[in-house]
Structures are given as structure tokens and as C-alpha cells.
Amino acid sequence: MTGFLGEYESTLDAKGRFLLPAGFKRQLPEDAGAQFVLNRGFEKCLTLYPMSEWTPIQEKIAKLNDFDPKVREFRRYFLNGATIVELDSAGRLNIPKNLAVHAGLDKDIVLAAANNKIEIWDKAKYQEFFDNFSPEAFSNLAQQVMSPDGSNIPGL
């Protein structure tokens, strides 16, 4: 998979379900199936992985050294809350209550492409993120991250 593109708004119903936008459905590989893994994001959002993208991550984590306390800590934090979710007959996914609480999801949400996964944000928090990030700060970040040799990234 080359990655998702786009940003879509959706709404959670009273049962915590949302319709997976057609724009993302069209970008799923043909063999993707209806199962996904929903997990906590690194920020206060959720991350939705097609099963084909989750499996290699899980395999890599399984190979990490159990005797390293940092590995155990990472595993606990990263895998805690990871849940298999499946599209229902109407094309909706259900967000478990504990994950919705973690991300502060109430009703209006934004689904944003994040390479091989989709981030799910509370709409107001997502907008706040962009409102508080100046074009100059974005330009500086892009220069650091996209530098060909990493020379602009502190610590490298």
C-alpha cells in the first residue's frame, strides 16, 4: 500500500459508530477485507490500521526483547487498548467507549490520512492543532524532517 490521502469529517452516532468515508474506502487495497485495528494514537487521537498494515507492526513488536524494560513499557503503552473492529453491513465502524474517552471523541470527528493509517480526532481538537501551528513553524519543521541527510535534526 502506498498510503492514504485526504481528510474527512464524520459524526459519531449514539452508539459510538461512524461511517467510514467513501474516499478512504476507495483507497483500501482490494484484499483489505472489513477488519481493522483501532488503537490509541501518539497524540490525543485514535489510529485506525487496515489489518494488512497492523500485522507487520505486531510481528515486529513480537520480536522485541522481553528482557528490556523499555520494550515492555512500550508494548504496554502501544498495545493497551488496541482493538479489532469490523465494518458493519452499513459501512460503519464502532469505537469502544474507552478509546472514545481517551481521544475525547463526542460527536463531530475528523478522519485524517496518516500514511498507512487513518487518525481519528475530535473535530475541535483537530482544528485547534492547526490553528496553533504557524506557517513559519511548519516551514522549520519541514526543513528539519525532510533534510536529505538528517543534518538539520537535533541529535543526529
Side-chain angles (χ1 to χ4, degrees):
M1 177 171 198
T2 58
F4 290 105
L5 295 173
E7 173 182 285
Y8 302 89
E9 293 184 9
S10 192
T11 305
L12 292 178
D13 68 14
K15 295 181 180 179
R17 298 173 301 190
F18 69 93
L19 191 62
L20 186 64
F24 282 142
K25 281 185 192 175
R26 285 191 295 272
Q27 296 176 57
L28 288 170
E30 288 183 24
D31 62 346
Q35 284 192 331
F36 297 82
V37 172
L38 187 62
N39 197 9
R40 289 179 174 91
F42 289 107
E43 289 80 20
K44 285 290 186 181
C45 66
L46 300 179
T47 308
L48 184 68
Y49 295 87
M51 192 60 76
S52 60
E53 295 295 327
W54 176 260
T55 301
I57 293 169
Q58 189 169 12
E59 289 170 355
K60 186 173 183 177
I61 291 171
K63 292 177 184 173
L64 297 175
N65 181 357
D66 276 336
F67 295 104
D68 183 336
K70 289 184 184 275
V71 167
R72 294 192 307 269
E73 183 178 13
F74 169 75
R75 259 195 203 134
R76 280 185 207 113
Y77 189 81
F78 186 73
L79 297 175
N80 185 14
T83 304
I84 294 174
V85 294
E86 194 164 337
L87 286 171
D88 68 12
S89 60
R92 297 173 299 195
L93 291 168
N94 185 58
I95 298 178
K97 186 72 173 164
N98 64 319
L99 293 178
V101 168
H102 166 79
L105 305 180
D106 184 35
K107 184 174 180 166
D108 295 324
I109 62 174
V110 174
L111 290 90
N115 196 26
N116 65 339
K117 57 192 171 290
I118 299 167
E119 291 181 339
I120 303 172
W121 289 82
D122 170 76
K123 183 180 176 182
K125 287 180 188 165
Y126 188 73
Q127 188 60 48
E128 182 182 316
F129 174 79
F130 285 100
D131 288 347
N132 292 328
F133 203 63
S134 73
E136 295 81 17
F138 178 63
S139 179
N140 290 335
L141 177 62
Q143 181 182 11
Q144 290 175 359
V145 172
M146 298 301 291
S147 173
D149 63 357
S151 63
N152 292 328
I153 301 174
L156 289 182

